[in-house]
């Protein structure tokens, strides 16, 4: 009897690879160190489970920045349309939100995950929880309690280093580095940033959103919403710029973020509106009445004065840590991978998902790349001409 294909990591990437392989009749076993599967996937589902995005594919690919050319073949092999059809096929009917993001109508992950695990079980996939991978010994995969497992091929789907309490802590890096696999240090991605607020501002406005704003940095502008925190800012608009902000802070010690509180108005239009307001009103009331700014936005203008009364500059001095990050940058360098995600230093060992050194903003791009790299690696194994993989 041939050895099974072993997948280490029961997050969405690992489960998707298992589905593709088992549907083709391959014997698949999944090992995960946590007592239950896909914990980060379930956590993401609490906010609606943004599976992917409906924007045109050529624009979609650009969201992966400098890694876009390397990820594009995998994204073409399993596109956002394919992901949506897959979810619909599990009974998790999807819809396109007003922002173009795609969600299951149930707006949570648990129904989809239950149906998915039922399908995997029906396809013969065997799941082993509470098994922590500890590398190799005498050619076999080694787990805790001295469990040794041989495999025809191994797919590593151990995740990045964000939200470590949910299972992905990046602890695998040493195991691969000692085998000659090139690893880029992990950094927080899709994360909030720190600044210094006055005590009054922090006490009164921490937790308040700034809606329908535009944030600008390094020639890029992103419209959306951000959240004021006690120590800085976070939220979707910030996450879209997090890579550039993080890199600038590492280089210069700070990054000056411009927040436009009324991006629909030019500076001259804003000033003219203020001029027409009653001079008897305070500046706060004029900003509120003439520019329709929220109390938090008005307070921000006072906190960080801007020349046109709608645009403020906030100096960011640091990023929150990996424990607060939605995702991580860093991991296995693409130079260590063959185009099919096989590790050059370890034949028949593949790596997928957030283990790899790529990053993308929130909006469905993170899950899509995890699914797509899983499909690409699994299909490569199925198409391999090696006798032990047939």
């Amino acid at each position: 009897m041939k050895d099974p294909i072993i997948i280490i990591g029961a997050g969405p990437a690992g489960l998707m690879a298992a589905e593709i392989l088992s549907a083709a009749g391959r014997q698949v076993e999944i090992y995960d160190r946590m007592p239950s599967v896909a914990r980060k996937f379930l956590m993401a589902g609490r906010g609606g489970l943004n599976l992917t995005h409906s924007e045109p594919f050529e624009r979609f690919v650009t969201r992966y920045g400098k890694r876009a050319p390397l990820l594009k073949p995998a994204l073409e092999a399993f596109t956002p349309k394919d992901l949506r059809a897959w979810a619909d096929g599990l009974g998790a009917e999807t819809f396109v939100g007003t922002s173009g993001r795609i969600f299951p109508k149930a707006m949570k992950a648990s129904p989809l995950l239950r149906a998915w695990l039922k399908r995997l079980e029906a396809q013969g996939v065997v799941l082993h929880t509470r098994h922590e991978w500890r590398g190799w010994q005498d050619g076999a995969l080694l787990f805790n309690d001295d469990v040794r497992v041989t495999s025809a091929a191994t797919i590593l789907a151990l995740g990045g280093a964000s939200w470590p309490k949910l299972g992905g802590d990046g602890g695998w890096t040493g195991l691969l580095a000692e085998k000659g696999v090139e690893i880029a240090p992990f950094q927080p991605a899709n994360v909030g940033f720190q600044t210094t607020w006055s005590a009054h501002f922090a006490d009164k406005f921490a937790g308040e959103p700034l809606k329908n704003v535009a944030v600008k940095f390094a020639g890029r502008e992103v419209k959306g919403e951000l959240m004021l925190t006690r120590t800085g800012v976070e939220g979707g608009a910030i996450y879209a710029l997090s890579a550039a902000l993080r890199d600038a802070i590492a280089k210069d010690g700070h990054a000056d973020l411009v927040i436009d509180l009324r991006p629909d108005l030019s500076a001259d239009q804003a000033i003219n509106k203020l001029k027409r307001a009653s001079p008897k009103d305070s500046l706060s009331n004029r900003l509120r009445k003439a520019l329709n700014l929220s109390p938090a936005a008005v307070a921000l203008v006072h906190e960080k004065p801007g020349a046109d009364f709608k645009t403020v500059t906030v100096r960011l001095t640091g990023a929150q840590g990996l424990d607060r990050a939605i995702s991580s940058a860093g991991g296995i360098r693409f130079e260590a991978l063959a185009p099919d995600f096989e590790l050059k230093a370890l034949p028949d060992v593949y790596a997928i998902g957030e283990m790899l050194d790529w990053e993308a903003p929130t909006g469905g791009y993170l899950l899509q790349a995890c699914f797509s790299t899983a499909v690409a690696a699994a299909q490569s194994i199925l198409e391999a001409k090696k006798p032990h993989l047939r």
Side-chain angles (χ1 to χ4, degrees):
M1 184 175 180
K2 289 186 177 181
D3 288 329
I5 297 170
I6 300 299
I7 298 172
I8 305 178
L15 296 178
M16 179 56 80
E19 177 173 346
I20 298 297
L21 292 165
S22 60
R26 302 303 172 90
Q27 183 184 355
V28 179
E29 296 188 22
I30 305 174
Y31 288 78
D32 194 279
R33 73 184 183 94
M34 301 299 283
S36 59
V37 306
R39 290 192 170 194
K40 189 174 180 181
F41 184 67
L42 288 170
M43 179 64 77
R46 292 184 181 181
L49 191 61
N50 181 193
L51 286 169
T52 187
H53 203 286
S54 64
E55 67 187 344
F57 183 77
E58 289 305 317
R59 185 178 180 188
F60 184 96
V61 173
T62 66
R63 306 301 187 183
Y64 298 92
K66 61 184 180 181
R67 298 304 189 202
L70 298 169
L71 288 171
K72 187 175 181 181
L75 295 168
E76 289 175 329
F78 191 74
T79 66
K81 288 183 180 179
D82 294 328
L83 177 51
R84 189 175 184 186
W86 169 82
D88 289 344
L90 279 171
E93 187 179 355
T94 57
F95 72 97
V96 181
T98 55
S99 64
R101 299 181 180 195
I102 294 174
F103 303 88
K105 286 187 175 179
M107 291 299 286
K108 54 186 177 180
S110 51
L112 186 153
L113 182 60
R114 284 194 297 270
W116 195 6
L117 292 175
K118 187 176 180 180
R119 174 185 287 179
L120 293 175
E121 183 180 10
Q123 292 179 184
V125 174
V126 179
L127 177 63
H128 305 270
T129 57
R130 302 182 191 274
H131 280 68
E132 183 173 1
W133 179 55
R134 295 183 175 174
W136 290 268
Q137 189 175 82
D138 300 326
L141 294 161
L142 178 65
F143 296 90
N144 56 301
D145 297 329
D146 205 30
V147 173
R148 293 175 177 82
V149 180
T150 56
S151 64
T154 301
I155 298 179
L156 303 177
L158 290 153
S162 63
W163 287 3
K165 65 181 181 180
L166 299 179
D169 61 2
W172 50 265
T173 55
L175 299 175
L176 294 182
E178 68 182 16
K179 294 290 187 179
V181 178
E182 298 175 76
I183 308 289
F186 281 115
Q187 301 181 78
N190 290 302
V191 69
F193 288 83
Q194 299 160 353
T195 192
T196 301
W197 303 127
S198 66
H200 170 76
F201 185 86
D203 289 342
K204 190 166 184 179
F205 295 103
E208 289 292 321
L210 296 177
K211 299 183 178 181
N212 301 315
V213 301
V215 292
K216 305 174 186 178
F217 182 74
R220 286 192 60 200
E221 177 178 318
V222 178
K223 293 183 178 180
E225 179 177 322
L226 64 84
M227 183 73 70
L228 299 169
T229 70
R230 180 165 289 278
T231 58
V233 290
E234 60 184 36
I238 298 297
Y239 300 156
L241 296 176
S242 64
L245 293 169
R246 184 191 65 227
D247 293 347
I249 292 170
K251 179 177 179 288
D252 303 322
H254 67 269
D256 290 334
L257 178 74
V258 176
I259 303 174
D260 189 338
L261 300 167
R262 284 295 305 271
D264 55 319
L265 296 177
S266 69
D268 287 342
Q269 288 174 325
I271 291 172
N272 287 335
K273 281 180 172 288
L274 286 170
K275 286 179 178 177
R276 292 196 294 270
S278 171
K280 295 180 180 179
D281 285 341
S282 65
L283 175 59
S284 292
N285 280 334
R286 280 184 284 157
L287 290 170
R288 179 175 58 81
K289 294 177 181 179
L291 299 187
N292 196 30
L293 297 186
S294 68
V298 171
L300 184 61
V301 172
H302 288 296
E303 181 81 2
K304 307 284 185 181
D308 60 16
F309 301 104
K310 78 181 187 83
T311 305
V312 297
T313 299
V314 178
R315 174 156 290 190
L316 305 177
T317 55
Q320 293 175 342
L322 284 163
D323 60 326
R324 297 287 303 277
I326 292 175
S327 60
S328 57
I332 298 171
R333 296 185 187 275
F334 276 78
E335 292 80 1
L337 296 167
D340 62 356
F341 302 102
E342 185 178 20
L343 292 170
K344 293 177 180 178
L346 295 167
D348 297 326
V349 179
Y350 299 75
I352 58 176
E354 287 194 75
M355 291 184 74
L356 310 182
D357 182 21
W358 59 271
E359 61 182 306
T362 56
Y365 310 104
L366 297 168
L367 274 176
Q368 179 69 56
C370 288
F371 283 121
S372 293
T373 56
V375 171
Q379 288 178 339
S380 177
I381 291 174
L382 293 175
E383 294 165 5
K385 296 181 180 180
K386 302 174 183 178
H388 64 286
L389 293 181
R390 291 178 181 174

